[in-house]
Amino acid sequence: MSSKDIPEENLPVEQGHAHGSAVGVADEQNPFADPGLPPHEHRVQDIDERAAKRSERAVAFLFTLSMLATVGFIASYVAIPADRSIFVFPIGHLSALNFALGLTLGTALFTIGAGAVHWARTLMSDVEVADERHPIAASPELRAKVHSDFKQGAKESALGRRKLIRNTMLGALTLVPLSGVVLLRDLGPLPEDKLRHTLWAKGKLLVNMNTNEPLRPSDVAVGSLTFAKPEGLEEHDEEFQNEIAKAALMIVRLQPDNIKDKRELEWSHEGIVAYSKICTHVGCPISLYEQQTHHVLCPCHQSTFDLSDGARVIFGPAGHALPQLRIGVNDEGYLEALGDFEEPVGPAFWERG
């Protein structure tokens, strides 16, 4: 249906050309004359309220679909395991979580855009208005005109009259940002108390990282530096990197008379002390040992710890001493842990107290 089929009295009132606009006919003297705007064609929604209602319901449906997709995004994030996969033809196997998040978030954003476009094309005013150029500095009359145009545009958008569209749009725009808030959860899994515990426990053997064999006291010579891991932790384990980052040990044998800290001596075995290998500054692995001074040095930022005095910090940015693991010897003569570290290993964290 076009405006030519509608009686003149049923058509909306036309807005004229902007004040001062000149319309002419191109000729040899003025080949670039302004032809003016083409005749305005009214849409079916302009002349049929039932069609306008259908468009209103379509826009509201798109906004409502956006809200449902946002809820689906949050539900997918909570309910779908990160390691689950699905087969999607013709792409192949995909992460079910990534597929669901992408599909729901894409739907939420697309339907908001589609709803806004459909609203603008079918219900907002589509009368073209030409305006003359004006100086940058706005005059009081121009400011009054801008305010008037804004009010007129707001009125023609039917935002106040089309309450269904307004309410569903506000609902969609309110829910969509929740997708971004939920994504903040992906900064990492909740640590719970995992940072306070390692794989070390009473009876766990100290296994040499190089030979993968349990350590005996005779394997650790005075002045040597040996790296150890807990019994049962293998490099092919899925959680190996996460666990070794907390449980890595460095084993040093000192003369008992050279140990200054009383607790360090009590927690050692025949001068063999076991300390966390993880620097308490930013978590770098410590690997440099000076035999004469019993100092260990972190290669990242040069934090230095005195292993003969409770591994206290004597230089560098580290904030606290290296945690010590209490060790002993089992009935078979192997070095074993007598428990876990009594404090979290590695850098400090905000929940630490």
Side-chain angles (χ1 to χ4, degrees):
M1 181 183 293
S2 69
S3 59
K4 297 178 181 178
D5 303 321
I6 306 299
E8 189 68 26
E9 60 271 13
N10 291 347
L11 295 175
V13 178
E14 290 279 5
Q15 297 186 12
H17 294 288
H19 178 69
S21 60
V23 178
V25 179
D27 54 26
E28 292 183 358
Q29 300 297 327
N30 187 12
F32 302 106
D34 182 4
L37 296 175
H40 178 253
E41 288 286 337
H42 292 286
R43 303 161 301 187
V44 64
Q45 289 86 359
D46 297 330
I47 54 182
D48 187 351
E49 182 59 22
R50 290 178 300 177
K53 285 292 185 181
R54 287 195 297 271
S55 294
E56 180 180 7
R57 288 192 294 270
V59 174
F61 170 76
L62 290 170
F63 287 154
T64 302
L65 185 59
S66 173
M67 289 188 282
L68 294 175
T70 301
V71 173
F73 177 93
I74 298 173
S76 299
Y77 190 91
V78 173
I80 300 177
D83 57 352
R84 182 179 177 184
S85 64
I86 58 173
F87 180 81
V88 178
F89 179 83
I91 302 174
H93 288 281
L94 299 173
S95 166
L97 179 59
N98 290 347
F99 180 77
L101 294 182
L103 181 63
T104 52
L105 183 59
T107 301
L109 296 176
F110 174 79
T111 48
I112 284 182
V117 170
H118 190 61
W119 180 11
R121 291 179 63 87
T122 60
L123 294 174
M124 293 184 184
S125 174
D126 69 335
V127 176
E128 296 185 19
V129 179
D131 201 357
E132 297 294 333
R133 291 189 176 185
H134 53 78
I136 294 178
S139 63
E141 294 80 8
L142 179 58
R143 288 196 294 269
K145 181 179 182 302
V146 170
H147 293 159
S148 175
D149 290 347
F150 178 80
K151 293 179 180 178
Q152 179 68 19
K155 181 179 179 181
E156 292 176 351
S157 71
L159 185 62
R161 186 162 62 91
R162 307 286 182 182
K163 294 183 179 180
L164 181 60
I165 289 181
R166 180 191 64 193
N167 295 338
T168 52
M169 180 192 69
L170 292 176
L173 293 177
T174 300
L175 286 179
V176 157
L178 292 179
S179 303
V181 174
V182 172
L183 287 177
L184 294 177
R185 171 66 173 77
D186 228 16
L187 292 175
L190 296 176
E192 300 171 346
D193 62 346
K194 296 175 184 176
L195 297 178
R196 299 182 181 274
H197 303 287
T198 71
L199 287 182
W200 291 111
K202 184 176 176 59
K204 283 270 187 177
L205 298 182
L206 279 61
V207 177
N208 190 308
M209 287 284 290
N210 295 323
T211 65
N212 211 34
E213 296 292 334
L215 285 167
R216 295 179 181 272
S218 58
D219 297 330
V220 185
V222 175
S224 65
L225 177 65
T226 304
F227 299 124
K229 64 180 181 179
E231 174 190 14
L233 181 61
E234 302 296 338
E235 291 190 10
H236 56 75
D237 294 342
E238 182 178 352
E239 291 296 315
F240 176 79
Q241 296 298 337
N242 290 333
E243 295 300 338
I244 199 64
K246 297 184 295 180
L249 277 186
M250 56 181 175
I251 313 297
V252 175
R253 189 166 200 160
L254 309 174
Q255 294 293 348
D257 294 341
N258 292 334
I259 299 178
K260 306 171 186 176
D261 185 80
K262 181 179 179 181
R263 193 185 78 163
E264 178 182 0
L265 183 60
E266 292 175 352
W267 285 17
S268 67
H269 175 77
E270 298 177 354
I272 301 174
V273 295
Y275 281 99
S276 171
K277 184 183 176 182
I278 310 304
C279 181
T280 57
H281 177 217
V282 293
C284 294
I286 298 173
S287 58
L288 304 176
Y289 175 58
E290 190 177 49
Q291 294 181 355
Q292 301 302 319
T293 61
H294 312 302
H295 295 169
V296 288
L297 175 71
C298 176
C300 292
H301 305 98
Q302 288 71 56
S303 293
T304 307
F305 306 86
D306 186 357
L307 294 190
S308 66
D309 191 14
R312 65 182 180 89
V313 182
I314 59 174
F315 179 79
H320 52 277
L322 296 172
Q324 183 181 3
L325 184 71
R326 188 174 185 177
I327 61 173
V329 174
N330 65 11
D331 296 338
E332 298 177 356
Y334 292 107
L335 290 171
E336 66 175 3
L338 299 181
D340 197 359
F341 291 102
E342 290 200 349
E343 58 182 308
V345 302
F349 48 94
W350 68 273
E351 298 145 317
R352 189 172 185 172

